[in-house]
Amino acid sequence: MLTEKSSGKVVQIINSTFIGGGVAEILEHMVPLLNQLGVDVRWNVINGSDEFFEVTKKFHNALHGKHEKISPRDFALFSEVTERNLEEMSFYGDIVFVHDPQPVGLIAKKKEIGKKWVWRCHIDVSSPDRKVWRFLRGFIVDYDAAVFSAPNFAQQLPIRQFLITPSIDPLSDKNKELDSGTIDTVLAKYGLVSDKPMITQISRFDRLKDPLGVIEAFEMVRKSIDCQLVLAGGTATDDPESEEVLEEVRKRVEENPDIHVLLVPPESDIEINALQRAATIIIQKSLKEGFGLTISEALWKAKPVVASAVGGIPLQVKNKFTGLLCYTVEGAAYALKQLLSNPEYANWLGQNGKEHVKQNFLITGHLKDYLLMFLSLDQTSDVIYL
């Protein structure tokens, strides 16, 4: 019924990249699925130079509350690239669904073409750099609605706001069941052994994911328990900082044979799936986090998780029920040792986690929420009559 009500309209999705990162990954599965359901959804990305994405990466960090030096020239460059995309892009959607800060300025087109415009924020903006937030807010208030992942992320805005959590696709290559042969092949490819406990963090190489903190926690654990650490992730076209972080991490671990740093291309979903399934524990020690899809991926595989209590992570990790939350490097090390020493407890957490994801963070529920939101744009009431 929801798809029938949504038919006849074109939903134009705009973000900054087709490849890399959680947003592109969600859209990669969501867009074809919506089309199969009869909703006309099309996906475009903006064009931007490396210099532009360096600026938007600083915006990203600043919105997460990290101190960044952002100059008037940075704001000017953001506006220049926005103007160029406004001239070059085609805007054809009845609903224009813009994701994250990079394309937020495209709202300027609304004065010319009208239509319904929605801004989707995937970032934890609960304590943003005020200068950057004020700049972006000047665009956001012209949208018809904004979408945030958690109540504590939302800001006071004079437009309607929706709370919708991200999701995973359980049938995707990254989350489907794998046979043991496939997992063993991936382990062999990266020189990993299956007879030693494996602690794994899957993340883009980003300082906010705290890979150096993960290494420090692992080294504390390794003093008393024989185990290995896998840091696996990739880079993205809209994150030029990631290559620099990757080199920092490699340099930090070059003399430790128990730590494996793997640069995995974006299209390696089966490999990521295998690494997660081979892991004894999944860790996500982020300093800031929008949602952290890798946690839902791990929980879906019934893996015990140790993760920082930041951003959208506590939505997924209910402490001592679906995983263990930590606040420091020492806390992460303590939680890792607790789970490595008590496999039965670790398994219980993992099973609870899988059920939690099944009930809350699968793509089917995410699609329903988006379809309801699209329908609500034509109504002034918060109640939608189907």
Side-chain angles (χ1 to χ4, degrees):
M1 179 179 288
L2 283 176
T3 54
E4 289 175 7
K5 293 281 185 181
S6 301
S7 64
K9 289 187 176 181
V10 177
V11 178
Q12 181 179 8
I13 291 176
I14 302 174
N15 76 319
S16 61
T17 179
F18 286 122
I19 299 172
V23 178
E25 186 174 317
I26 291 170
L27 295 176
E28 180 185 356
H29 297 282
M30 181 169 287
V31 170
L33 192 51
L34 281 167
N35 282 318
Q36 288 172 18
L37 292 170
V39 183
D40 189 350
V41 179
R42 308 172 199 178
W43 181 10
N44 302 108
V45 300
I46 59 170
N47 289 316
S49 62
D50 287 348
E51 188 181 8
F52 170 74
F53 287 123
E54 286 171 6
V55 169
T56 57
K57 178 66 181 190
K58 287 197 284 188
F59 282 10
H60 174 91
N61 291 341
L63 289 172
H64 274 298
K66 182 184 176 187
H67 176 69
E68 290 280 357
K69 290 183 180 177
I70 300 174
S71 67
R73 169 60 189 153
D74 291 335
F75 289 112
L77 177 63
F78 184 91
S79 298
E80 289 169 17
V81 174
T82 297
E83 285 296 325
R84 196 154 59 241
N85 278 284
L86 283 166
E87 294 173 4
E88 295 174 354
M89 287 190 75
S90 174
F91 297 88
Y92 51 80
D94 298 295
I95 298 170
V96 185
F97 195 12
V98 175
H99 289 248
D100 276 339
Q102 299 94 330
V104 68
L106 299 180
I107 187 63
K109 201 70 176 180
K110 184 183 178 186
K111 293 177 183 175
E112 178 185 333
I113 66 172
K115 309 298 183 182
K116 296 295 183 182
W117 290 68
V118 179
W119 183 64
R120 202 324 175 186
C121 180
H122 293 271
I123 299 172
D124 175 1
V125 291
S126 56
S127 55
D129 177 289
R130 302 314 303 181
K131 185 177 173 185
V132 173
W133 176 250
R134 278 197 301 271
F135 176 74
L136 296 175
R137 190 180 186 280
F139 300 110
I140 296 165
V141 295
D142 288 333
Y143 282 79
D144 294 287
V147 183
F148 295 91
S149 297
N152 56 318
F153 292 4
Q155 292 279 332
Q156 286 197 345
L157 294 168
I159 58 175
R160 297 173 77 183
Q161 297 188 47
F162 296 86
L163 300 176
I164 299 176
T165 56
S167 65
I168 62 166
D169 181 351
L171 302 179
S172 68
D173 283 348
K174 190 178 277 188
N175 296 303
K176 67 183 183 183
E177 292 288 338
L178 294 180
D179 59 65
S180 58
T182 301
I183 296 171
D184 291 343
T185 299
V186 173
L187 294 183
K189 175 181 177 180
Y190 289 111
L192 303 170
V193 294
S194 58
D195 59 351
K196 182 187 289 192
M198 183 188 299
I199 300 165
T200 301
Q201 175 158 302
I202 306 289
S203 278
R204 191 157 67 181
F205 290 97
D206 183 328
R207 291 189 180 89
L208 292 181
K209 309 297 183 185
D210 198 20
L212 298 182
V214 174
I215 293 167
E216 198 175 339
F218 169 78
E219 289 173 338
M220 292 179 184
V221 175
R222 183 63 184 82
K223 289 177 181 176
S224 55
I225 301 175
D226 187 19
C227 54
Q228 56 188 328
L229 174 65
V230 175
L231 293 168
T235 58
T237 54
D238 63 346
D239 185 6
E241 188 183 59
S242 55
E243 304 238 357
E244 181 182 322
V245 176
L246 174 61
E247 286 311 305
E248 285 177 11
V249 173
R250 281 176 166 162
K251 188 174 181 181
R252 173 68 173 76
V253 306
E254 58 189 2
E255 295 182 2
N256 191 332
D258 286 325
I259 302 178
H260 306 268
V261 180
L262 313 180
L263 178 59
V264 182
E267 64 272 18
S268 304
D269 286 353
I270 293 286
E271 293 191 0
I272 293 295
N273 188 345
L275 291 171
Q276 289 172 325
R277 290 186 184 279
T280 310
I281 301 170
I282 297 289
I283 185 169
Q284 188 64 53
K285 212 204 131 321
S286 301
L287 301 174
K288 295 285 183 177
E289 190 64 73
F291 184 73
L293 276 179
T294 54
I295 293 172
S296 281
E297 292 165 8
L299 294 177
W300 179 246
K301 299 172 180 76
K303 291 295 173 180
V305 170
V306 172
S308 302
V310 297
I313 289 177
L315 295 174
Q316 303 167 82
V317 177
K318 302 299 181 185
N319 194 34
K320 300 182 181 180
F321 184 69
T322 66
L324 296 180
L325 292 174
C326 62
Y327 299 84
T328 62
V329 169
E330 292 78 9
Y334 179 82
L336 289 170
K337 284 195 279 190
Q338 186 179 7
L339 296 182
L340 288 171
S341 304
N342 192 342
E344 187 175 339
Y345 179 49
N347 180 62
W348 180 77
L349 292 175
Q351 293 298 330
N352 289 344
K354 179 163 187 171
E355 189 61 29
H356 186 51
V357 171
K358 182 180 178 182
Q359 293 181 13
N360 297 285
F361 306 120
L362 295 185
I363 195 168
T364 43
H366 198 176
L367 288 177
K368 183 184 74 175
D369 289 342
Y370 273 170
L371 289 172
L372 285 168
M373 180 192 67
F374 295 154
L375 292 176
S376 77
L377 296 175
D378 291 324
Q379 303 184 32
T380 55
S381 169
D382 287 336
V383 178
I384 302 169
Y385 296 95
L386 298 175

